[in-house]
Each structure stands twice: as C-alpha cells, then as structure tokens.
Amino acid sequence: MNHTNFALNESEIPKYYLNISYYLKKYLGKLPDPPLNPMTKQPAGPADLSAIFPMELIKQEVSLEEKIEIPEEVRDIYKMYRPTPLIRAYRLEKFLDTPAHIYYKYEGASPTGAHKLNTTIAQAYYNKKEGVKTLIAETGAGQFGSALSLACNFFGLKCQIFMVRVSYDQKPYRKTVMQLYGADVTASPSNKTEFGKKILAGNPSHSGSLGIAISEALETVVKTQGSKYSLGSVLNHVLLHQTVIGLEAKKQMEKAEEYPDVVIGCVGGGSNFAGIAFPFIADKLKNKNKTRFMGVEPSSCPSLTKGKYEYDFGDTAQMTPLLKMHTLGSGFVPSPIHAGGLRYHGMAPQISFLYNEKLIEAVAYDQNSVFQAGVDFARTEGIIPAPESTHAIKAAIVEAITAKKEEKKKVILFNLSGHGLLDLNGYDKFLHNQL
Ligand SMILES: *Cc1c(COP(=O)(O)O)cnc(C)c1O
C-alpha cells in the first residue's frame, strides 16, 4: 500500500533521446520556423553554427529521426544519478486535502542538484570527440555553469563561465562550486570583453542579464583557439537531451498504473519542461489524448504569457542567429528575482511553437506566491526546491485545489528541476518578509 517511490533500475535508463521534431512533422505536418542568419535573413546553415558548436550537435539540431542514440560513455555517467526518482507526494496531497494524485520527478538528485547535467554530459562528450579543448558559456543562477564545469572535468576539457552579476552576488557559493570542479568564473558584465566594457561604461553597477552574459561568452569563443560555446537551454539539441526525464517518468507512471492528466514544468529557456513533457506530447500527437501541458514562468519575466512570437536575437549584443520565439525583446533586463534560471527574455523555439499551436498552456506567478509554494512543499515533502522549481510546484498546487473544488480525481505530474540548498538566501528573505 501507499507505494511512494517508483524506482527504476540502471538498465531502464533510456538508450536514446526522443526527438519531438519527428512527431511534429509526422502528426502535425509542420515544424517550427528555422533560425535565420541575421545578415542574410536566410535559414542558418551548418556553416553559420560550426564556429560555435560541434557538428554532431548541429546535426541533432535539425534531425528528423525519431530516436537519437545516447552514447555508452554518456550513459555510463548518467548511471551515477539516473534513473532519478519519481515520487508520489502523499503528504502534499494530504496538506491540500485534495482528491488529486500528485507525482514529481526529482532532477535535484543529480550531483550538481538540477537537470542541467543531462545535457552538459552529452555536450562535453561530443565536443571532446571532435577535438575541442575549451567550452565557454554563460550561467544565470549558476546551475548550468556548475553542470558544465563538472561535465568538462569528466572529459578533460577546460571550462570558462560568465556568471550574471546579480546571481554572482546573491549566490556566491555557486561560484565556489564551479571553481571546485575546475572552471574559470567571471561575473558578467565584465572587463574581459569589449561588449562587457561597453555595458560597464554605461552603468558600472549593472546587475547583468543572461542576454549580456551570452554575448560575452560568444565574443570570447571567437577570440579563443580550440574553444566552442555551450548552451544550457533554448536550442533543440538541449531540449532533446532532457527527454531522458520524460522517458523515465513514462515508465515510472506505468509502474504507478496512472497516466498524467496534466504535466507541469517551470520555464526559463524551456529545457526541463521539454524534458518531462515531450515524451507525453509525442503520445498526445499520436493518440489524441486529453493530457494538458503547462509551462510556468515568473510574472517578472513572462516570455510566453506576455511576449511576442517573432524572430529575435538570443543575446543582447545581437550576435546569435535569429530565433522564432516568444520574446520580451533581446534588450529586456528582468528584475533580479531569486529564480535566476528563469530570467531569460526568450523561450525555446520548440516550446514557443507548441504554445502557438495551443498544444501547451502557460501561466505566470509572482515571486512571493511561488516561495510560499516552496515552503509548503519543503514542510510536507521535505525537499527544499530551487526557486525556479517552486513555479512548477505553485501550478501543481493550483491544479490540485481546482480538482478539490470540482471534486474530481486528477493525476498531476510535475518536474522538480532542482533543489534549493544553495538558494537559502532567497528563502531567508521570504521568511522575514523581505522579498
Ligand atoms: C536552469 C534551471 C531552470 C530553467 O531552465 P529551463 O531550460 O527552462 O529548464 C529551471 N530550474 C532549475 C533548477 C534550473 O537550474
């Protein structure tokens, strides 16, 4: 009775990533509009991307294969923390007095505390295989930077990280984590790049943004021999790598003998939500079932709910290819909320496309309401969630309360993208009414 933890064994770690493009083409007959070269306004080809990404990742970006094999070397590292747990949140259900069944997939079980390692291991592997020596990237809250630092360390690559200034100051231990794994960390905007210098000249105490940090990372890649760029979200290949989350969750829900009525994830660039949702969206495209999908964002950075669906740059210096996405504008600087991983002006083109096609829903919540959800979750389920993940929890709670009002059983599945043990500063402020 009360089966709580639906564990899988090592042999059940997925052997392939699931490619949503295959399903969109086959069952919907259309695909998201391609990235454009900003100069020519023509679709960006491999030549436009090969300066910053290895060939295998460029191929994955445009692949229409249903399944992309996970290399054995990558699976071997996944074995250290995958399959991650899927837990029935009985205590949260009881607290809410809801007839809903709430399940969460816990990606905080990874060594770096969030889902980002799923993609950085794969990215470091493909870069290493193609002879790259250094990976350069930006990080918001530091989760992606930590995951990339560790993955680079595993594969003997150098790692250089530009960390958004506000997070660098709010979360100093994240910097220590990255340095501990061997990375070189710089607060952004910085004096290391021409773009950073320009920003600092205008405002020496600029709090930074992901858009600015991306520009600094890209500028550094262009100047550094043997280096490539790595992105923690937004692009198709990153979302693809995260589908291990949903593939496992599907098997685990089978063990629970349930199927979700609603699948929920927080959305920054869209990768953890894609990770849990895509395998279930593939089912929906195939079987036309009624499962709903919900991306949850902060009301201070509402790219899906308030942004325009149009071509925009991924960064502030306007160096990246143009991406068709829901965007608040590449110059948008969100307020310094604690969910640093959700402070991105745009949204993954695949997620934007699904939203535009009404295959997924989106909702935005303010910082105080999501921190309250985080505290309720910590007090019932024990895990202190990352401030990003509290957005998904808030939406799951709202769904569970609705189920109670409607006196309906409802199966809710959400992704708990990371733990918040390095985010106690935000919780401290919340507990003392200082947010
Ligand atoms: C980075 C991060 C996010 C946001 O990124 P997505 O690409 O939208 O998943 C969410 N939660 C955690 C814990 C993160 O580290």
Side-chain angles (χ1 to χ4, degrees):
M1 279 302 289
N2 287 5
H3 195 162
T4 303
N5 187 337
F6 296 87
L8 300 177
N9 60 47
E10 203 166 285
S11 65
E12 292 172 286
I13 297 172
K15 298 201 165 55
Y16 61 86
Y17 300 118
L18 192 76
N19 185 6
I20 196 69
S21 298
Y22 166 88
Y23 290 89
L24 293 175
K25 178 133 196 278
K26 177 159 180 179
Y27 296 102
L28 210 58
K30 48 183 162 174
L31 288 168
D33 291 331
L36 301 182
N37 177 314
M39 312 295 270
T40 64
K41 302 273 155 65
Q42 295 301 309
D48 294 304
L49 300 171
S50 61
I52 54 172
F53 294 121
M55 216 49 217
E56 180 57 32
L57 294 180
I58 296 172
K59 276 193 212 150
Q60 292 181 3
E61 198 57 30
V62 295
S63 170
L64 292 174
E65 298 288 316
E66 179 182 12
K67 296 171 178 182
I68 291 172
E69 197 184 330
I70 304 177
E72 209 47 50
E73 292 88 333
V74 172
R75 278 186 92 240
D76 275 343
I77 300 179
Y78 282 168
K79 284 177 192 166
M80 295 195 305
Y81 67 99
R82 308 210 67 85
T84 58
L86 181 102
I87 312 277
R88 171 100 181 255
Y90 284 110
R91 287 162 186 81
L92 178 63
E93 289 171 17
K94 189 160 174 235
F95 170 75
L96 298 171
D97 188 23
T98 174
H101 294 186
I102 307 175
Y103 293 84
Y104 61 93
K105 178 76 170 155
Y106 185 41
E107 289 297 307
S110 98
T112 54
H115 64 289
K116 301 287 198 319
L117 204 56
N118 299 331
T119 185
T120 59
I121 293 167
Q123 291 191 40
Y125 168 79
Y126 293 119
N127 274 287
K128 174 76 178 185
K129 222 177 140 197
E130 295 183 29
V132 173
K133 303 283 183 237
T134 307
L135 283 180
I136 301 174
E138 74 289 342
T139 192
Q143 277 288 9
F144 174 60
S146 311
L148 189 64
S149 305
L150 181 57
C152 283
N153 174 54
F154 284 151
F155 288 101
L157 297 169
K158 281 197 211 142
C159 183
Q160 194 177 336
I161 303 289
F162 288 91
M163 183 175 190
V164 176
R165 165 62 73 180
V166 54
S167 297
Y168 190 91
D169 294 337
Q170 272 175 352
K171 304 178 180 184
Y173 291 130
R174 284 263 186 243
K175 171 192 67 192
T176 312
V177 171
M178 291 184 262
Q179 290 170 338
L180 195 154
Y181 291 137
D184 175 31
V185 188
T186 306
S188 165
S190 80
N191 279 316
K192 283 196 181 165
T193 66
E194 293 312 313
F195 187 66
K197 283 181 201 160
K198 209 167 91 188
I199 299 273
L200 287 174
N203 176 3
S205 54
H206 199 293
S207 62
S209 72
L210 272 175
I212 293 169
I214 295 173
S215 300
E216 288 206 278
L218 285 172
E219 187 185 321
T220 311
V221 170
V222 173
K223 287 183 188 156
T224 310
Q225 270 277 326
S227 75
K228 296 256 189 241
Y229 174 66
S230 170
L231 202 56
S233 188
V234 179
L235 294 185
N236 299 351
H237 68 267
V238 183
L239 276 52
L240 175 80
H241 300 153
Q242 296 297 351
T243 57
V244 291
I245 302 172
L247 289 166
E248 285 177 7
K250 265 185 72 172
K251 285 187 197 156
Q252 289 165 308
M253 291 302 294
E254 274 169 34
K255 291 206 173 186
E257 296 176 7
E258 301 222 70
Y259 195 90
D261 295 306
V262 56
V263 178
I264 300 171
C266 63
V267 286
S271 74
N272 87 86
F273 173 59
I276 193 143
F278 280 3
F280 292 98
I281 293 178
D283 278 359
K284 184 182 174 109
L285 287 165
K286 200 155 63 177
N287 315 327
K288 315 267 176 273
N289 66 40
K290 290 211 160 59
T291 297
R292 294 162 52 224
F293 299 90
M294 189 182 292
V296 192
E297 55 189 13
S299 48
S300 58
C301 193
S303 357
L304 276 179
T305 50
K306 296 262 174 68
K308 287 198 183 115
Y309 188 40
E310 62 188 20
Y311 273 105
D312 192 12
F313 291 95
D315 69 325
T316 308
Q318 310 199 330
M319 293 166 75
T320 66
L322 288 162
L323 301 175
K324 178 83 175 277
M325 59 183 177
H326 283 85
T327 175
L328 298 162
S330 58
F332 181 79
V333 178
S335 64
I337 53 166
H338 287 270
L342 306 186
R343 292 174 79 242
Y344 184 60
H345 68 272
M347 185 53 60
Q350 288 181 332
I351 298 293
S352 298
F353 173 83
L354 288 165
Y355 185 61
N356 201 51
E357 295 291 323
K358 302 199 162 36
L359 279 159
I360 63 174
E361 305 162 33
V363 61
Y365 292 110
D366 68 78
Q367 181 156 256
N368 273 297
S369 72
V370 300
F371 264 103
Q372 183 59 56
V375 169
D376 291 341
F377 188 79
R379 288 179 182 172
T380 51
E381 295 296 317
I383 296 169
I384 297 172
E388 291 83 0
S389 318
T390 59
H391 291 73
I393 297 171
K394 170 70 187 175
I397 290 176
V398 169
E399 286 291 324
I401 293 172
T402 310
K404 183 181 176 183
K405 282 186 198 138
E406 293 172 352
E407 294 177 13
K408 263 211 273 235
K409 188 198 143 191
K410 186 195 283 183
V411 178
I412 300 169
L413 169 65
F414 74 88
N415 193 37
L416 187 57
S417 52
H419 71 67
L421 287 173
L422 286 175
D423 303 289
L424 296 180
N425 187 13
Y427 280 100
D428 187 60
K429 291 216 163 79
F430 175 74
L431 293 173
H432 297 95
N433 296 316
Q434 286 165 2
L435 274 190

